[in-house]
């Protein structure tokens, strides 16, 4: 069933029915639910608009509420949740996909629950005959990694500012096993 869906989207003849029957769409969705990532399929139309076709159920966690299923089904909720300062990153991702390049972008979304999440969106394009691009993607929540990176950068900046202030009075000392100072 999912193969027929993809075959239809790509304009290909249907695959072997026996093979397609082995994988039930609900079973595939159940496997995808095992992952913390959001798996999605959509398309960037020839006019440049994004239209969602499928999103794993983990989307609810990414949008901060139970209305996530609509986010990738053409209503534009996902686009509305993208942080205003990061909309250019999502636009650049789409430009790369339309150009036929596999790409990734990191941007923030502000969920329905008001929580800002930093995500990494990785996607692969498949060119369609009508000029549109089928998008196969996976989104990971990297909020904690981004926060840790920001804290480390802030600490490094404070350290180097301190070094600028104290200059040559900074030294490193090591206490040896015999309690001598080196």
């Amino acid at each position: 069933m999912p193969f027929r869906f993809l075959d239809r989207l790509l304009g290909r003849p249907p695959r072997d029915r026996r093979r397609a029957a082995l994988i039930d769409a609900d079973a595939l969705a159940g496997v995808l639910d095992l992952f913390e990532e959001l798996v999605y399929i959509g398309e960037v139309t020839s006019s440049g608009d994004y239209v969602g076709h499928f999103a794993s159920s983990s989307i609810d966690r990414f949008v901060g509420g139970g209305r996530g299923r609509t986010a990738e089904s053409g209503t534009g909720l996902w686009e509305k949740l993208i942080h205003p300062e990061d909309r250019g990153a999502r636009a650049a991702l789409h430009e790369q996909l339309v150009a036929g390049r596999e790409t990734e972008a990191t941007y923030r979304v502000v969920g329905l629950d008001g929580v800002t999440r930093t995500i990494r969106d990785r996607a692969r394009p498949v060119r369609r005959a009508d000029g549109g691009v089928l998008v196969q993607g996976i989104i990971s929540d990297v909020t904690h990694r981004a926060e840790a990176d920001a804290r480390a950068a802030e600490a490094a900046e404070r350290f180097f500012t301190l070094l600028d202030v104290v200059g040559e009075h900074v030294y490193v000392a090591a206490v040896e096993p015999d309690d001598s100072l080196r």
Side-chain angles (χ1 to χ4, degrees):
M1 190 127 121
F3 292 124
R4 282 186 244 155
F5 168 74
L6 289 175
D7 289 336
R8 243 187 1 262
L9 278 175
L10 294 172
R12 297 187 302 212
R15 293 179 186 219
D16 177 36
R17 289 180 193 262
R18 286 179 293 137
R19 181 176 175 196
L22 292 175
I23 300 179
D24 176 68
D26 291 333
L28 180 59
V31 170
L32 293 175
D33 289 344
L34 295 172
F35 299 96
E36 292 182 7
E37 282 76 18
L38 164 60
V39 177
Y40 68 93
I41 299 172
E43 68 180 296
V44 179
T45 65
S46 54
S47 63
D49 297 322
Y50 179 79
V51 178
H53 294 296
F54 169 81
S56 58
S57 66
S58 60
I59 191 168
D60 294 339
R61 187 171 53 82
F62 284 84
V63 301
R67 294 185 42 222
R69 288 257 172 229
T70 61
E72 294 298 327
S73 61
T75 65
L77 175 62
W78 185 263
E79 300 299 326
K80 291 175 188 167
L81 296 178
I82 296 172
H83 193 284
E85 294 175 8
D86 294 349
R87 290 195 175 129
R90 173 73 175 218
L93 178 116
H94 284 193
E95 288 172 15
Q96 292 294 311
L97 292 168
V98 169
R101 291 187 284 274
E102 192 169 313
T103 188
E104 71 178 57
T106 301
Y107 54 90
R108 293 167 292 170
V109 293
V110 181
L112 297 171
D113 56 3
V115 175
T116 299
R117 295 166 178 85
T118 303
I119 61 155
R120 184 174 58 186
D121 189 341
R122 292 168 286 175
R124 172 182 300 144
V126 178
R127 177 76 54 200
R128 292 182 46 151
D130 65 1
V133 176
L134 181 71
V135 177
Q136 302 166 339
I138 186 165
I139 293 177
S140 304
D141 186 339
V142 296
T143 303
H144 298 298
R145 186 179 321 156
E147 289 170 355
D149 289 348
R151 284 193 306 272
E154 183 181 317
E157 185 176 330
R158 283 194 315 264
F159 176 72
F160 287 116
T161 300
L162 177 64
L163 282 180
D164 289 342
V165 171
V166 296
E168 60 198 50
H169 300 291
V170 174
Y171 62 91
V172 176
V175 177
E176 298 293 332
D178 65 356
D179 289 332
S180 64
L181 191 61
R182 180 173 52 91

